[in-house]
Amino acid sequence: MKPLSALPLRQHNHQHCINDALKQAKAIAEHKDLRFTKQREQVLRLIWQSHKPIGAYQLMDALADATGKQVAPPTVYRALEFLLEHRLIHRINSLNAFIGCPCPGESHAGQFVICRRCGIALELDEASIKAPIQALAASVGFLIEQQSLELSGLCPTCQVSAEGESEHG
């Protein structure tokens, strides 16, 4: 399991995240003979610009700001569908938003911790969680096709901030 002090929870250069994500996406597209269009690249770049999930309409606004022209919703949704289909991003259902996948192209259960205060999200990869959930589902005859676990709370930075506020409030 990745520790909670992992990369997104401390200050760092997001450009490295963006560059790695684009490099991996281009490699996957080339390997699978897929078209990684400029629009798809721009959407992926915007998703990786921070470690906060971003919604489709926020993406449309950001693309309009970057290109100087309005972007139609179907254009963004097609790019998101492509990125989801090829496991380059994840959908955070509770927020109706998207976040970059640090292990693109690999099939894995999504486990996310999401800070309700600052909005940062971190994908965890703990295999030991998947088996009991599948066993529980199987016990009632259910076959899980996709698994995503979203946990909401406070990141370490926001915990410290909340403690400071409660001491002064």
Side-chain angles (χ1 to χ4, degrees):
M1 180 166 83
K2 295 176 187 174
L4 287 181
S5 61
L7 194 60
L9 297 179
R10 60 185 160 108
Q11 294 297 324
H12 70 281
N13 182 347
H14 288 295
Q15 193 59 49
H16 293 295
C17 299
I18 294 168
N19 292 342
D20 287 347
L22 292 176
K23 182 179 174 183
Q24 291 175 327
K26 288 175 183 176
I28 289 169
E30 185 176 310
H31 176 72
K32 294 182 176 183
D33 198 27
L34 303 169
R35 287 188 57 224
F36 190 59
T37 64
K38 185 82 169 156
Q39 190 81 41
R40 292 169 178 168
E41 180 179 334
Q42 287 177 312
V43 170
L44 186 61
R45 180 183 303 277
L46 288 168
I47 289 171
W48 271 101
Q49 74 184 356
S50 77
H51 292 283
K52 294 180 181 181
I54 186 170
Y57 284 92
Q58 292 171 296
L59 285 166
M60 280 185 269
D61 291 342
L63 283 168
D65 291 344
T67 62
K69 46 187 173 178
Q70 262 326 92
V71 179
T75 304
V76 172
Y77 282 110
R78 279 192 298 270
L80 289 169
E81 285 174 21
F82 174 89
L83 297 172
L84 284 167
E85 179 182 345
H86 298 289
R87 299 185 173 120
L88 298 168
I89 62 172
H90 291 286
R91 184 172 189 273
I92 304 290
N93 294 314
S94 62
L95 302 175
N96 195 21
F98 304 88
I99 191 163
C101 177
C103 304
E106 296 177 20
S107 179
H108 58 279
Q111 304 155 3
F112 304 93
V113 289
I114 305 161
C115 183
R116 65 176 169 74
R117 181 177 253 184
C118 72
I120 203 160
L122 173 64
E123 181 178 355
L124 306 176
D125 186 16
E126 181 53 53
S128 66
I129 292 173
K130 187 177 180 179
I133 292 173
Q134 287 180 328
L136 181 61
S139 74
V140 295
F142 192 82
L143 174 64
I144 296 175
E145 295 177 341
Q146 180 182 2
Q147 180 179 322
S148 179
L149 178 62
E150 300 174 18
L151 305 170
S152 177
L154 294 174
C155 72
T157 303
C158 290
Q159 288 174 47
V160 170
S161 176
E163 287 172 6
E165 289 173 7
S166 67
E167 289 174 6
H168 296 94

